[in-house]
Amino acid sequence: MNTKKRIGILTSGGDCPGLNPVIRTVVSHATLTYGWDVVGIPYATQGLQEGKAIPLTMHSLDLCGIDPLLCMGGTILGTINKGDTLNNTDAILAGYKTLGLDALIAIGGDGSLAILHTLALRGGWELIGIPKTIDNDVAVTERAIGFDTAVNTIIDALNRLSFTAASHDRVMVVEVMGRKAGHLALHVGIAGGADAILIPEIPYSITGVCQHLRELRERWHRKSAIVLVAEGIEPIGLGFTPDGTPIAQPPRHGMGQYIADHILEADPHLDVRVSVLGHIQRGGMPLALDRLMAAAFGKTAVDLVAEGKTDQMVTWQGSRVVPVPMAEVLAQSPRSVDPNSYLVQTAEALGIYIGDRTLAAAAKLPALV
Protein backbone atom coordinates (compact mmCIF):
# COMPACT_ATOMS: atom_id res chain seq x y z
CA MET A 1 0.00 0.00 0.00
CA ASN A 2 1.44 3.37 -1.06
CA THR A 3 1.83 6.13 1.51
CA LYS A 4 0.16 9.32 0.36
CA LYS A 5 2.70 11.69 -1.12
CA ARG A 6 2.88 15.38 -1.89
CA ILE A 7 4.82 15.94 -5.10
CA GLY A 8 5.82 19.12 -6.85
CA ILE A 9 6.18 19.80 -10.56
CA LEU A 10 7.96 22.68 -12.27
CA THR A 11 9.04 23.84 -15.71
CA SER A 12 12.46 25.44 -16.13
CA GLY A 13 14.43 27.00 -18.98
CA GLY A 14 12.96 28.14 -22.29
CA ASP A 15 9.32 27.34 -22.99
CA CYS A 16 8.15 25.00 -25.75
CA PRO A 17 4.97 23.18 -26.81
CA GLY A 18 4.19 20.07 -24.78
CA LEU A 19 4.91 21.30 -21.25
CA ASN A 20 1.26 21.62 -20.26
CA PRO A 21 0.38 18.10 -21.47
CA VAL A 22 3.15 16.77 -19.19
CA ILE A 23 1.66 18.68 -16.24
CA ARG A 24 -1.78 17.33 -17.16
CA THR A 25 -0.54 13.73 -17.16
CA VAL A 26 1.37 14.02 -13.90
CA VAL A 27 -1.65 15.50 -12.12
CA SER A 28 -4.02 12.94 -13.61
CA HIS A 29 -1.92 9.87 -12.86
CA ALA A 30 -0.70 10.99 -9.43
CA THR A 31 -4.15 11.96 -8.15
CA LEU A 32 -6.36 9.35 -9.80
CA THR A 33 -4.05 6.34 -9.61
CA TYR A 34 -2.17 6.99 -6.37
CA GLY A 35 -4.36 9.51 -4.53
CA TRP A 36 -1.43 11.91 -4.04
CA ASP A 37 -1.42 15.67 -3.76
CA VAL A 38 0.27 17.59 -6.58
CA VAL A 39 1.42 21.20 -6.45
CA GLY A 40 2.87 23.32 -9.23
CA ILE A 41 5.97 25.40 -8.45
CA PRO A 42 5.66 28.77 -10.26
CA TYR A 43 8.72 30.00 -12.14
CA ALA A 44 10.89 27.01 -11.24
CA THR A 45 13.62 27.67 -8.65
CA GLN A 46 12.25 31.16 -8.06
CA GLY A 47 9.04 29.60 -6.75
CA LEU A 48 11.02 27.19 -4.57
CA GLN A 49 13.10 30.03 -3.19
CA GLU A 50 9.92 31.92 -2.26
CA GLY A 51 8.17 28.81 -0.97
CA LYS A 52 5.28 29.22 -3.40
CA ALA A 53 3.08 26.42 -4.74
CA ILE A 54 -0.20 26.12 -6.62
CA PRO A 55 -2.47 23.16 -5.77
CA LEU A 56 -3.17 21.15 -8.93
CA THR A 57 -6.16 18.82 -9.22
CA MET A 58 -8.11 17.43 -12.14
CA HIS A 59 -10.95 19.73 -11.12
CA SER A 60 -8.73 22.82 -11.14
CA LEU A 61 -7.40 21.92 -14.61
CA ASP A 62 -10.85 21.25 -16.06
CA LEU A 63 -12.76 24.07 -17.76
CA CYS A 64 -16.47 23.27 -18.18
CA GLY A 65 -15.69 19.79 -19.45
CA ILE A 66 -12.87 21.04 -21.72
CA ASP A 67 -9.31 19.84 -21.16
CA PRO A 68 -7.30 22.97 -22.04
CA LEU A 69 -3.83 21.69 -21.11
CA LEU A 70 -3.84 19.07 -23.82
CA CYS A 71 -3.61 21.65 -26.59
CA MET A 72 -2.21 24.72 -24.81
CA GLY A 73 1.30 25.84 -25.67
CA GLY A 74 3.78 27.29 -23.19
CA THR A 75 3.43 26.47 -19.50
CA ILE A 76 0.76 27.44 -16.98
CA LEU A 77 3.42 27.40 -14.26
CA GLY A 78 5.68 29.97 -15.87
CA THR A 79 9.39 29.39 -16.37
CA ILE A 80 12.73 31.17 -16.07
CA ASN A 81 16.06 30.65 -17.79
CA LYS A 82 18.11 33.21 -15.92
CA GLY A 83 19.25 33.97 -12.40
CA ASP A 84 22.10 32.94 -10.12
CA THR A 85 20.36 29.86 -8.77
CA LEU A 86 23.28 28.13 -7.06
CA ASN A 87 24.07 31.24 -4.99
CA ASN A 88 20.55 30.98 -3.57
CA THR A 89 20.86 27.31 -2.70
CA ASP A 90 20.04 27.65 0.99
CA ALA A 91 16.83 29.59 0.31
CA ILE A 92 15.76 27.09 -2.39
CA LEU A 93 16.44 24.08 -0.16
CA ALA A 94 14.53 25.74 2.66
CA GLY A 95 11.62 26.44 0.31
CA TYR A 96 11.44 22.80 -0.75
CA LYS A 97 11.25 21.78 2.92
CA THR A 98 8.67 24.47 3.71
CA LEU A 99 6.42 23.15 0.94
CA GLY A 100 6.59 19.68 2.45
CA LEU A 101 7.44 17.95 -0.81
CA ASP A 102 8.14 14.23 -0.95
CA ALA A 103 9.42 14.40 -4.55
CA LEU A 104 9.90 16.83 -7.41
CA ILE A 105 9.28 16.28 -11.13
CA ALA A 106 11.27 18.79 -13.16
CA ILE A 107 10.74 19.46 -16.86
CA GLY A 108 13.81 21.14 -18.33
CA GLY A 109 16.75 21.12 -20.70
CA ASP A 110 20.26 19.91 -19.91
CA GLY A 111 21.25 23.16 -18.17
CA SER A 112 18.17 23.34 -15.97
CA LEU A 113 18.30 19.66 -15.08
CA ALA A 114 21.99 19.90 -14.17
CA ILE A 115 21.26 22.72 -11.71
CA LEU A 116 18.26 20.92 -10.23
CA HIS A 117 20.28 17.71 -9.93
CA THR A 118 22.93 19.58 -7.94
CA LEU A 119 20.24 21.03 -5.67
CA ALA A 120 18.65 17.61 -5.25
CA LEU A 121 21.94 16.05 -4.14
CA ARG A 122 22.52 18.82 -1.60
CA GLY A 123 18.97 18.73 -0.28
CA GLY A 124 18.35 15.01 -0.44
CA TRP A 125 15.42 15.51 -2.81
CA GLU A 126 13.64 12.73 -4.67
CA LEU A 127 13.98 14.09 -8.23
CA ILE A 128 12.76 12.91 -11.63
CA GLY A 129 13.78 14.81 -14.78
CA ILE A 130 11.76 15.12 -17.98
CA PRO A 131 13.70 16.44 -21.01
CA LYS A 132 12.34 19.30 -23.08
CA THR A 133 13.96 21.53 -25.69
CA ILE A 134 13.27 22.45 -29.29
CA ASP A 135 17.03 22.06 -29.89
CA ASN A 136 16.69 18.31 -29.12
CA ASP A 137 20.20 18.28 -27.68
CA VAL A 138 19.67 16.61 -24.28
CA ALA A 139 22.03 13.63 -24.01
CA VAL A 140 20.82 10.01 -24.19
CA THR A 141 17.24 10.72 -25.28
CA GLU A 142 16.38 10.54 -28.99
CA ARG A 143 13.60 13.10 -28.58
CA ALA A 144 12.75 15.85 -26.14
CA ILE A 145 9.40 17.51 -25.51
CA GLY A 146 8.81 20.41 -27.92
CA PHE A 147 11.09 19.34 -30.77
CA ASP A 148 8.51 17.76 -33.08
CA THR A 149 6.08 20.69 -32.84
CA ALA A 150 8.87 23.20 -33.47
CA VAL A 151 9.94 21.27 -36.58
CA ASN A 152 6.40 21.42 -37.96
CA THR A 153 6.04 25.11 -37.09
CA ILE A 154 9.18 25.97 -39.06
CA ILE A 155 8.16 23.76 -41.98
CA ASP A 156 4.91 25.72 -42.18
CA ALA A 157 6.95 28.93 -42.33
CA LEU A 158 9.20 27.48 -45.06
CA ASN A 159 6.16 26.51 -47.10
CA ARG A 160 4.98 30.12 -47.02
CA LEU A 161 8.42 31.59 -47.67
CA SER A 162 8.97 29.26 -50.64
CA PHE A 163 5.99 30.74 -52.47
CA THR A 164 7.10 34.34 -52.05
CA ALA A 165 10.70 33.40 -52.92
CA ALA A 166 9.57 31.75 -56.15
CA SER A 167 7.30 34.67 -57.05
CA HIS A 168 10.17 37.17 -56.87
CA ASP A 169 13.13 34.93 -57.82
CA ARG A 170 14.65 35.49 -54.39
CA VAL A 171 17.09 33.65 -52.19
CA MET A 172 15.49 33.46 -48.76
CA VAL A 173 17.93 33.03 -45.88
CA VAL A 174 15.96 31.64 -42.94
CA GLU A 175 17.53 31.71 -39.48
CA VAL A 176 16.29 29.12 -36.97
CA MET A 177 17.25 28.30 -33.40
CA GLY A 178 20.07 25.94 -32.54
CA ARG A 179 22.98 27.55 -30.71
CA LYS A 180 25.09 24.42 -30.31
CA ALA A 181 23.22 21.68 -32.15
CA GLY A 182 21.74 21.56 -35.64
CA HIS A 183 18.99 18.96 -35.17
CA LEU A 184 16.23 21.50 -35.75
CA ALA A 185 17.74 22.91 -38.95
CA LEU A 186 18.63 19.45 -40.29
CA HIS A 187 15.16 17.95 -39.77
CA VAL A 188 13.39 21.06 -41.05
CA GLY A 189 15.71 21.45 -44.03
CA ILE A 190 15.11 17.91 -45.26
CA ALA A 191 11.36 17.85 -44.62
CA GLY A 192 10.80 21.45 -45.70
CA GLY A 193 12.73 21.37 -48.97
CA ALA A 194 15.64 23.69 -48.17
CA ASP A 195 18.40 24.03 -50.77
CA ALA A 196 21.17 24.60 -48.24
CA ILE A 197 21.44 23.78 -44.53
CA LEU A 198 24.14 25.33 -42.36
CA ILE A 199 24.56 23.82 -38.88
CA PRO A 200 27.18 24.24 -36.11
CA GLU A 201 28.58 20.72 -36.48
CA ILE A 202 29.65 20.93 -40.14
CA PRO A 203 32.03 23.51 -41.65
CA TYR A 204 30.63 25.48 -44.58
CA SER A 205 31.86 28.02 -47.10
CA ILE A 206 30.18 30.97 -48.76
CA THR A 207 31.86 29.81 -51.96
CA GLY A 208 30.17 26.43 -51.58
CA VAL A 209 26.78 28.02 -50.91
CA CYS A 210 27.08 30.32 -53.93
CA GLN A 211 28.28 27.54 -56.22
CA HIS A 212 25.25 25.51 -55.19
CA LEU A 213 22.90 28.43 -55.86
CA ARG A 214 24.55 28.95 -59.25
CA GLU A 215 24.10 25.28 -60.10
CA LEU A 216 20.40 25.50 -59.19
CA ARG A 217 20.02 28.34 -61.68
CA GLU A 218 22.14 26.94 -64.50
CA ARG A 219 21.33 23.24 -64.28
CA TRP A 220 17.81 23.20 -62.91
CA HIS A 221 16.66 26.68 -63.99
CA ARG A 222 15.77 27.52 -60.40
CA LYS A 223 15.87 31.24 -59.69
CA SER A 224 14.75 31.01 -56.08
CA ALA A 225 16.20 29.13 -53.14
CA ILE A 226 15.90 28.57 -49.40
CA VAL A 227 19.08 28.71 -47.29
CA LEU A 228 18.44 27.46 -43.76
CA VAL A 229 20.84 28.76 -41.11
CA ALA A 230 21.12 27.56 -37.50
CA GLU A 231 21.80 30.55 -35.25
CA GLY A 232 24.88 28.90 -33.74
CA ILE A 233 27.02 28.41 -36.86
CA GLU A 234 30.51 29.84 -36.77
CA PRO A 235 31.36 33.06 -38.66
CA ILE A 236 33.56 32.80 -41.73
CA GLY A 237 37.17 32.03 -40.89
CA LEU A 238 39.82 34.65 -41.56
CA GLY A 239 42.83 32.50 -40.76
CA PHE A 240 44.62 31.80 -37.49
CA THR A 241 46.58 33.72 -34.87
CA PRO A 242 50.20 32.66 -34.21
CA ASP A 243 49.04 30.36 -31.40
CA GLY A 244 46.59 28.61 -33.72
CA THR A 245 43.37 30.27 -32.55
CA PRO A 246 40.84 30.74 -35.38
CA ILE A 247 40.17 34.34 -36.37
CA ALA A 248 36.57 35.04 -37.29
CA GLN A 249 34.85 38.17 -38.53
CA PRO A 250 32.12 38.81 -35.95
CA PRO A 251 28.58 39.17 -37.27
CA ARG A 252 26.98 42.62 -37.13
CA HIS A 253 23.56 41.09 -36.57
CA GLY A 254 22.34 37.49 -36.40
CA MET A 255 23.90 34.71 -38.44
CA GLY A 256 21.07 34.79 -40.98
CA GLN A 257 21.85 38.38 -41.93
CA TYR A 258 25.55 37.59 -41.75
CA ILE A 259 25.24 34.80 -44.32
CA ALA A 260 22.97 36.92 -46.53
CA ASP A 261 25.51 39.77 -46.54
CA HIS A 262 28.32 37.43 -47.60
CA ILE A 263 26.21 35.80 -50.31
CA LEU A 264 25.48 39.25 -51.72
CA GLU A 265 29.13 40.19 -51.48
CA ALA A 266 30.04 37.08 -53.50
CA ASP A 267 27.18 37.49 -56.01
CA PRO A 268 25.71 41.05 -56.04
CA HIS A 269 23.17 40.15 -58.73
CA LEU A 270 21.17 37.94 -56.39
CA ASP A 271 18.05 39.21 -54.64
CA VAL A 272 18.61 37.99 -51.08
CA ARG A 273 16.19 38.44 -48.18
CA VAL A 274 16.40 37.32 -44.56
CA SER A 275 13.72 35.91 -42.29
CA VAL A 276 14.51 35.32 -38.62
CA LEU A 277 11.76 33.16 -37.15
CA GLY A 278 12.78 33.81 -33.56
CA HIS A 279 10.37 32.90 -30.79
CA ILE A 280 7.65 31.88 -33.24
CA GLN A 281 9.45 28.53 -33.17
CA ARG A 282 8.62 28.08 -29.48
CA GLY A 283 4.92 28.84 -29.82
CA GLY A 284 1.78 27.08 -30.93
CA MET A 285 -0.24 24.09 -29.83
CA PRO A 286 1.69 20.86 -29.21
CA LEU A 287 1.23 18.35 -32.01
CA ALA A 288 0.47 14.65 -31.70
CA LEU A 289 3.97 13.27 -31.04
CA ASP A 290 4.72 15.84 -28.35
CA ARG A 291 1.37 15.10 -26.68
CA LEU A 292 2.06 11.37 -26.85
CA MET A 293 5.56 11.76 -25.40
CA ALA A 294 4.23 14.11 -22.72
CA ALA A 295 1.74 11.46 -21.62
CA ALA A 296 4.34 8.68 -21.64
CA PHE A 297 6.98 10.76 -19.85
CA GLY A 298 4.55 12.07 -17.23
CA LYS A 299 3.11 8.63 -16.48
CA THR A 300 6.56 7.05 -16.14
CA ALA A 301 7.82 9.90 -13.94
CA VAL A 302 4.97 9.38 -11.45
CA ASP A 303 5.49 5.60 -11.44
CA LEU A 304 9.21 6.04 -10.72
CA VAL A 305 8.38 8.19 -7.70
CA ALA A 306 5.93 5.53 -6.51
CA GLU A 307 8.61 2.83 -6.90
CA GLY A 308 11.26 4.90 -5.10
CA LYS A 309 13.43 4.94 -8.22
CA THR A 310 14.29 8.63 -8.28
CA ASP A 311 17.37 10.58 -9.41
CA GLN A 312 16.47 9.46 -12.94
CA MET A 313 15.62 11.18 -16.21
CA VAL A 314 13.04 9.62 -18.51
CA THR A 315 14.29 9.22 -22.08
CA TRP A 316 12.79 8.35 -25.45
CA GLN A 317 14.63 5.42 -27.03
CA GLY A 318 13.23 3.40 -29.90
CA SER A 319 9.68 4.67 -29.27
CA ARG A 320 9.91 3.51 -25.64
CA VAL A 321 10.37 5.40 -22.39
CA VAL A 322 13.58 4.32 -20.68
CA PRO A 323 14.65 5.75 -17.29
CA VAL A 324 18.36 6.63 -17.11
CA PRO A 325 20.27 7.75 -13.99
CA MET A 326 20.51 11.54 -13.98
CA ALA A 327 24.24 11.45 -13.30
CA GLU A 328 24.77 9.28 -16.38
CA VAL A 329 22.87 11.76 -18.56
CA LEU A 330 24.64 14.82 -17.21
CA ALA A 331 28.08 13.22 -17.51
CA GLN A 332 27.70 13.25 -21.28
CA SER A 333 28.04 16.21 -23.62
CA PRO A 334 24.86 17.67 -25.11
CA ARG A 335 23.64 15.61 -28.06
CA SER A 336 24.89 17.09 -31.34
CA VAL A 337 24.42 16.13 -34.97
CA ASP A 338 26.76 13.39 -36.15
CA PRO A 339 28.25 14.72 -39.42
CA ASN A 340 28.21 11.15 -40.76
CA SER A 341 24.65 10.38 -39.68
CA TYR A 342 22.09 8.89 -42.00
CA LEU A 343 20.09 12.13 -42.02
CA VAL A 344 23.13 14.16 -43.12
CA GLN A 345 23.77 11.64 -45.89
CA THR A 346 20.08 11.85 -46.82
CA ALA A 347 20.36 15.63 -47.16
CA GLU A 348 23.35 15.21 -49.48
CA ALA A 349 21.48 12.58 -51.52
CA LEU A 350 18.67 15.10 -52.00
CA GLY A 351 21.13 17.59 -53.47
CA ILE A 352 21.12 19.87 -50.42
CA TYR A 353 24.30 21.80 -49.69
CA ILE A 354 25.23 20.99 -46.09
CA GLY A 355 28.83 22.12 -45.94
CA ASP A 356 31.90 19.92 -46.09
CA ARG A 357 31.42 17.11 -43.59
CA THR A 358 34.81 15.62 -44.45
CA LEU A 359 36.33 18.50 -42.50
CA ALA A 360 33.96 18.25 -39.54
CA ALA A 361 36.30 16.10 -37.50
CA ALA A 362 38.96 18.82 -37.36
CA ALA A 363 38.92 20.42 -33.92
CA LYS A 364 37.79 24.05 -33.77
CA LEU A 365 37.93 24.36 -37.53
CA PRO A 366 36.51 27.74 -38.64
CA ALA A 367 34.16 28.06 -41.58
CA LEU A 368 35.90 28.47 -44.91
CA VAL A 369 35.85 31.58 -47.03
Side-chain angles (χ1 to χ4, degrees):
M1 183 175 180
N2 290 306
T3 303
K4 186 170 183 177
K5 295 182 181 291
R6 177 179 168 87
I7 65 172
I9 183 169
L10 59 77
T11 51
S12 186
D15 70 305
C16 65
L19 301 177
N20 286 324
V22 176
I23 297 169
R24 168 185 179 267
T25 301
V26 168
V27 173
S28 174
H29 192 35
T31 59
L32 299 181
T33 304
Y34 293 103
W36 297 346
D37 293 329
V38 182
V39 296
I41 312 299
Y43 301 103
T45 51
Q46 180 178 310
L48 285 173
Q49 184 177 339
E50 297 171 356
K52 293 182 178 179
I54 304 167
L56 299 175
T57 66
M58 290 307 294
H59 177 71
S60 69
L61 300 181
D62 187 84
L63 183 63
C64 300
I66 300 173
D67 193 345
L69 293 195
L70 191 62
C71 58
M72 184 187 297
T75 168
I76 61 168
L77 296 177
T79 185
I80 57 173
N81 55 3
K82 59 183 179 180
D84 195 359
T85 301
L86 294 181
N87 277 343
N88 296 306
T89 296
D90 291 343
I92 293 170
L93 297 182
Y96 182 95
K97 186 175 294 186
T98 298
L99 292 173
L101 300 179
D102 294 303
L104 179 66
I105 295 175
I107 314 167
D110 56 349
S112 299
L113 292 179
I115 291 172
L116 289 163
H117 178 62
T118 299
L119 291 167
L121 292 177
R122 294 184 184 180
W125 300 353
E126 302 294 319
L127 176 69
I128 296 293
I130 296 180
K132 64 88 209 162
T133 168
I134 68 170
D135 288 346
N136 206 37
D137 60 351
V138 178
V140 182
T141 186
E142 295 170 5
R143 294 261 176 170
I145 297 292
F147 177 68
D148 185 66
T149 300
V151 167
N152 282 275
T153 297
I154 302 171
I155 287 174
D156 181 65
L158 286 193
N159 289 339
R160 298 167 189 271
L161 289 169
S162 294
F163 288 122
T164 187
S167 298
H168 293 275
D169 296 339
R170 285 174 177 156
V171 174
M172 299 294 298
V173 178
V174 184
E175 181 184 313
V176 300
M177 290 184 174
R179 285 179 297 174
K180 297 180 180 179
H183 298 289
L184 197 58
L186 180 59
H187 281 70
V188 167
I190 293 172
D195 299 291
I197 304 171
L198 307 183
I199 61 176
E201 295 88 343
I202 303 178
Y204 67 94
S205 71
I206 295 300
T207 299
V209 174
C210 290
Q211 284 177 344
H212 186 66
L213 296 177
R214 191 174 302 113
E215 182 178 349
L216 290 176
R217 294 194 304 272
E218 295 176 354
R219 185 176 180 183
W220 304 110
H221 308 291
R222 283 269 308 281
K223 297 181 180 180
S224 65
I226 299 290
V227 177
L228 201 61
V229 176
E231 63 181 340
I233 63 170
E234 292 292 330
I236 295 171
L238 299 177
F240 296 85
T241 62
D243 65 357
T245 303
I247 302 173
Q249 179 179 328
R252 293 191 297 273
H253 304 290
M255 289 307 301
Q257 186 64 56
Y258 180 82
I259 293 299
D261 290 344
H262 282 281
I263 290 175
L264 272 173
E265 185 178 308
D267 195 341
H269 299 292
L270 292 176
D271 186 357
V272 184
R273 302 299 171 94
V274 180
S275 182
V276 180
L277 299 186
H279 288 80
I280 288 174
Q281 299 162 84
R282 293 190 180 277
M285 296 187 295
L287 298 180
L289 182 55
D290 277 323
R291 297 187 195 189
L292 177 68
M293 289 176 55
F297 280 169
K299 187 264 185 191
T300 304
V302 172
D303 287 340
L304 288 171
V305 173
E307 296 164 7
K309 298 177 180 178
T310 53
D311 198 27
Q312 309 258 339
M313 186 185 84
V314 294
T315 69
W316 191 258
Q317 298 182 25
S319 298
R320 295 174 56 247
V321 179
V322 179
V324 176
M326 191 80 78
E328 182 179 325
V329 175
L330 298 176
Q332 300 189 35
S333 300
R335 182 172 167 270
S336 59
V337 172
D338 177 359
N340 297 311
S341 71
Y342 187 76
L343 277 184
V344 171
Q345 294 178 46
T346 298
E348 291 178 333
L350 290 170
I352 299 171
Y353 175 82
I354 194 166
D356 188 347
R357 65 187 178 95
T358 62
L359 300 176
K364 297 183 180 180
L365 184 69
L368 307 172
V369 175

